[in-house]
Every structure is written in structure tokens, then in C-alpha cells.
Amino acid sequence: MFRRTQTTADDSPASDNDPKPAGKGRPTPKRRDAEGRRRQPVNAPQNRKEAYKQLRTRQATDRVKAREGMMRGDEKYFPARDRGPGRKFARDWVDSRRVISQYFLPFSLVILLLTWVPFPPEIRQPVYVAVITIGWPVMMVGVLFTSVWVSWKVKKLVAEKFPDESLKGVGFYAAMRALQIRKLRFPPPAFLPGGKPVPPKK
């Protein structure tokens, strides 16, 4: 009798309120399978149009990141033409001085504006003569002389300070930077005219 009662109790179905067995109830995934799922792209493109859109978004993000890095002066974001100790020295040397060639573009803009101003006939001719016949040639000679001098000077100093550095293009690089308006130079200047460092932006 005791054995039959025990069997009946063991054979009775478990109720819904009975506690479930311990554990997750499923086999633990292998490590390589879990890593494979993590490596799958979250937003895989469904077609060529969506893939192109994601590519454009990544490129735009990379350009913003590179520009911010250049503005900070991080050389790893610079183009190849701006990298190296010789190019950095050329930039700093030009930026720490005022040279005639940096006023070439503003002077050209002034001349262009003067040609558009409707001066009275008795004033127009003397202005044109002074600006176009005298001012413009003098400015061009000054720019040419300054560019040659800057190129020669920077190339000589780079050769002295960095004997292992290639001098190819460094003089032309410095001369072209000296032609640019200071606020439009890129990478941005690290020194003020006179040699003082540019204060950090707050």
C-alpha cells in the first residue's frame, strides 16, 4: 500500500505553479558564435542606394573630423603637402612675419573696386593712372621680390635646421603661404606676427 501511494504521487502531473528547473532552459552559446553575431553590422544596407547614402554619411563625418583635427594643429589630419618638420617650420616662419606679398590679394580687390566706382570724368583719369599705371606695377614687383626672398630664406633655414629633411617644394610652399591672407591660411597660423604663439580659443 505504501509503495502504490508513492507511485501515485510521483506520477501526478506538475501544476503550473510548480517552480521551474534552475538554469536558462537553453544551451549556452559558444564564444565564437556570440562573437560572430556581435560582428554583424547593425544597419546593413538593403540596396545600392542605401549603401551609397551610408557611404556619403561616413565620408561627411570623416571630413568634419579631419577639419577639426587640422584646426587643432594635429598633423596626422594634414594633407601630405603640409606634413613634416620642414613644412611646419616654413608655416611658422611665414606666419610670424609681415611680408609685402600677403597684401597682394587685398590690394587687388581694392583696385577692382576702384574701377567700378563712377568717379567724375575729371577725377577718373588721375585715379586710373595712379592705381593701374603706378600702384599695380609697384605691387607686382614687390610681390615677386618678396616671394623669391621668402622661398630662398626658408629653404636655406630648413637645410640648416633639418639636414635630413627633403627640400623639394619647401621654398615654393612658403612663398605661396606668404601670398595668402592671414585669416584664410590653412592649416591655421600657430604664431602671431612678431613670434608670439596664438592664444588658445576659449
Side-chain angles (χ1 to χ4, degrees):
M1 180 183 296
F2 178 78
R3 180 178 301 173
R4 184 168 46 186
T5 304
Q6 184 178 6
T7 304
T8 304
D10 292 341
D11 292 341
S12 60
S15 63
D16 295 338
N17 296 327
D18 291 342
K20 294 182 180 180
K24 298 180 180 178
R26 63 180 184 275
T28 303
K30 295 182 179 180
R31 180 177 180 182
R32 63 182 179 183
D33 296 335
E35 291 179 351
R37 284 196 294 269
R38 287 198 297 267
R39 290 173 183 169
Q40 294 179 353
V42 179
N43 296 321
Q46 301 298 323
N47 49 52
R48 179 179 296 181
K49 183 178 180 180
E50 187 175 347
Y52 180 72
K53 183 178 180 181
Q54 291 184 8
L55 176 63
R56 292 289 299 272
T57 302
R58 287 196 300 269
Q59 290 176 342
T61 303
D62 292 342
R63 285 195 296 269
V64 171
K65 185 178 180 181
R67 183 174 180 84
E68 291 176 349
M70 291 181 69
M71 295 300 293
R72 293 193 306 267
D74 192 342
E75 190 167 325
K76 72 178 181 180
Y77 293 105
F78 289 175
R81 64 181 176 84
D82 296 314
R83 295 177 185 172
R87 301 302 173 99
K88 184 180 186 307
F89 175 83
R91 290 195 303 271
D92 295 343
W93 191 91
V94 171
D95 296 337
S96 61
R97 289 163 175 78
R98 296 185 187 276
V99 292
I100 295 175
S101 56
Q102 74 183 72
Y103 302 107
F104 171 70
L105 293 178
F107 185 77
S108 301
L109 180 61
V110 170
I111 290 179
L112 182 61
L113 293 176
L114 288 175
T115 59
W116 289 350
V117 176
F119 291 109
E122 63 274 11
I123 300 178
R124 185 183 308 140
Q125 189 64 26
V127 170
Y128 285 180
V129 170
V131 173
I132 298 177
T133 308
I134 300 175
W136 181 257
V138 170
M139 186 65 186
M140 290 299 296
V141 171
V143 168
L144 179 61
F145 174 80
T146 303
S147 299
V148 172
W149 178 76
V150 167
S151 177
W152 170 81
K153 186 69 174 179
V154 169
K155 194 172 183 179
K156 178 182 177 183
L157 292 174
V158 170
E160 294 175 355
K161 293 180 177 295
F162 309 100
D164 297 330
E165 184 77 6
S166 174
L167 299 178
K168 184 178 179 180
V170 69
F172 181 78
Y173 177 80
M176 290 299 99
R177 188 171 180 87
L179 274 172
Q180 299 173 359
I181 299 174
R182 182 178 180 84
K183 290 185 177 181
L184 300 181
R185 292 173 183 173
F186 206 80
F191 290 91
L192 298 171
K196 293 183 178 181
V198 174
K201 295 182 180 180
K202 297 181 180 180

